Amino acid sequence: MTTVKSGGAPAGRVLVVGGYGAVGAVVTATLAAWFPGRVVPGGRDEVKARRLGGVRVDVADPEGFVQALDELGDVAVVVLCVEPPDAGIARTCLARGIHLVDIGATLRLLEAVADLHDVAVAAGATAVLSVGVAPGLTNLLARRAHEAVGGAEHLDITLLLGSGERHGGDAVRWTVEGLPEPVTARPRRTALPGYGTRTAHPFPFSDQHTLPRTLGVSEVTTRLCLDSRVLTAALFAARRTGLLRAARRPGVRRLMTGAFRRVHLGDDGFAIRAEARRGDRHATWSLTGRGQSRITGLVAAYVTRELLTGAPPAGVRHIEQLPDLTGLPETLAAEHGVVLHAPDLLDRSLGR
Ligand SMILES: NC(=O)c1ccc[n+]([C@@H]2O[C@H](COP(=O)([O-])OP(=O)(O)OC[C@H]3O[C@@H](n4cnc5c(N)ncnc54)[C@H](OP(=O)(O)O)[C@@H]3O)[C@@H](O)[C@H]2O)c1
């Protein structure tokens, strides 16, 4: 386990909201090892939270959240490991000068937090968005591929998820909500290291909407497939027929979330790939690993550590906008078993 130099690090605790969920538990455990006695997990289940040395917090209860912050008194960073209904919690944190790490993937919420940039700057706080695997590592690899071609005209991002992983309830709810969303891009066949060539389908991940702004690339598409070809085909065939539109209804969504959580066909491997194109030039970066919840939690922990020990610029940033986090894929490869695949560069105009 990495040790952290504490000299110069600001004092203050880290409140991990959703801190005993699939992702949050990893954030809590990793940060507690680096910053003993300074990590407080939070959630709605008071008994569970207190058993872990944490507190009861509910992101749907802004007054209760303020009260929890007041009672803790010295919170330096809030890590959001569950999606709040709006940007109210983010505003509360940033206005008080509390840094924020947000692992959410819903565009509407990320944009609402991005609108708080001036609030964060005025209070000297930093919010980091696009933290996790997708968005998160996809943003970092997309930036590399973009730079390798000298500024991409198109970026294609692919995520393969292991259907054998026990994904957290909130993550499955997010995926089910994304299924009936209208898409305009087409499915694409993509080679993924260790998985052969897969058909991946456009899916409403936030990275494809935020990267055009942060990188200046006009066309970005993110696609999803599962490790099981059969499940992928069945799921997206159902989307084409309009069957999944029923997932817009809360009752059906709850049923589908429960059903998806019980399906464990493959294993817990995942893969991401970012491919940039500019004229005849192509560049591809890929990464594979096990346990996307675990890796998401580790990304959030490293980002939080950077906020506690580094000198992040005040304001709201996406992960790929923070130069000190550029090497995170290499850190995860060296210390946590992910495999970063050598970039694949091709320049047809030069015949290579
Ligand atoms: N960026 C990425 O790559 C990435 C990857 C994976 C997941 N995610 C996102 O991360 C989030 C968490 O996913 P997960 O797999 O860890 O889900 P999870 O296992 O269901 O964990 C959610 C946690 O939040 C708590 N919680 C739920 N509602 C809450 C509320 N209103 N106020 C406070 N705490 C609440 C839950 O405990 P209680 O029910 O006891 O409150 C639980 O501890 C999801 O929104 C997902 O979309 C992002």
Side-chain angles (χ1 to χ4, degrees):
M1 181 67 70
T2 311
T3 51
V4 177
K5 57 178 188 322
S6 56
R13 289 191 276 180
V14 181
L15 173 60
V16 186
V17 184
Y20 48 83
V23 175
V26 178
V27 180
T28 302
T30 307
L31 289 172
W34 291 342
F35 303 100
R38 290 174 58 185
V39 183
V40 184
R44 293 169 303 179
D45 185 332
E46 181 151 18
V47 174
K48 213 182 225 179
R50 295 235 179 254
R51 205 183 307 132
L52 298 165
V55 292
R56 186 185 188 281
V57 277
D58 183 347
V59 290
D61 170 14
E63 282 168 24
F65 187 81
V66 167
Q67 202 182 328
L69 287 182
D70 287 341
E71 279 168 19
L72 289 169
D74 60 347
V75 175
V77 186
V78 167
V79 187
L80 274 183
C81 295
V82 63
E83 280 199 334
D86 55 35
I89 297 292
R91 177 182 286 279
T92 297
C93 295
L94 295 174
R96 289 173 162 231
I98 297 173
H99 298 312
L100 185 77
V101 177
D102 188 343
I103 73 165
T106 297
L107 180 64
R108 167 185 66 82
L109 292 170
L110 296 185
E111 285 184 334
V113 179
D115 286 344
L116 300 172
H117 182 76
D118 292 344
V119 174
V121 170
T126 303
V128 188
L129 310 181
S130 302
V131 174
V133 168
L137 294 175
T138 53
N139 298 52
L140 292 175
L141 296 194
R143 181 174 185 143
R144 289 181 185 200
H146 162 72
E147 288 172 350
V149 297
E153 290 159 348
H154 305 273
L155 270 171
D156 285 293
I157 298 169
T158 308
L159 170 68
L160 176 145
L161 285 179
S163 41
E165 179 171 344
R166 293 188 183 276
H167 301 282
D170 204 47
V172 176
R173 173 208 47 87
W174 183 89
T175 310
V176 167
E177 279 181 12
L179 282 169
E181 292 288 310
V183 293
T184 48
R186 301 174 71 79
R188 190 168 189 259
R189 303 263 301 152
T190 306
L192 293 164
Y195 293 94
T197 300
R198 299 305 188 99
T199 302
H201 301 259
F203 206 78
F205 290 99
S206 58
D207 48 7
Q208 64 201 316
H209 302 290
T210 59
L211 285 165
R213 232 182 0 261
T214 60
L215 301 185
V217 181
S218 56
E219 208 184 300
V220 187
T221 305
T222 307
R223 297 178 175 84
L224 172 68
C225 60
L226 303 174
D227 55 354
S228 157
R229 292 175 195 271
V230 175
L231 257 190
T232 307
L235 200 57
F236 290 98
R239 175 162 86 172
R240 272 196 306 280
T241 62
L243 258 181
L244 295 175
R245 251 178 257 138
R248 293 210 178 100
R249 279 186 262 149
V252 178
R253 204 161 58 219
R254 270 196 301 278
L255 276 177
M256 284 178 69
T257 302
F260 279 125
R261 290 194 75 192
R262 285 193 289 276
V263 174
H264 301 292
L265 271 185
D267 65 18
D268 67 347
F270 72 89
I272 58 180
R273 169 186 155 122
E275 178 181 347
R277 284 175 284 144
R278 181 190 179 90
D280 284 339
R281 307 187 73 191
H282 285 231
T284 299
W285 276 91
S286 308
L287 181 149
T288 50
R290 307 202 81 84
Q292 66 80 33
S293 302
R294 182 178 70 92
I295 298 299
T296 293
L298 287 167
V299 171
Y302 278 98
V303 170
T304 306
R305 187 173 89 171
E306 179 59 26
L307 293 178
L308 284 170
T309 61
V316 181
R317 321 273 161 182
H318 289 271
I319 196 168
E320 72 278 13
Q321 296 178 297
L322 292 173
D324 288 342
L325 293 169
T326 311
L328 193 46
E330 279 77 8
T331 306
L332 293 173
E335 299 192 22
H336 301 287
V338 308
V339 180
L340 189 57
H341 299 268
D344 183 11
L345 305 173
L346 182 72
D347 191 336
R348 289 207 180 90
S349 65
L350 298 175
R352 60 189 161 83

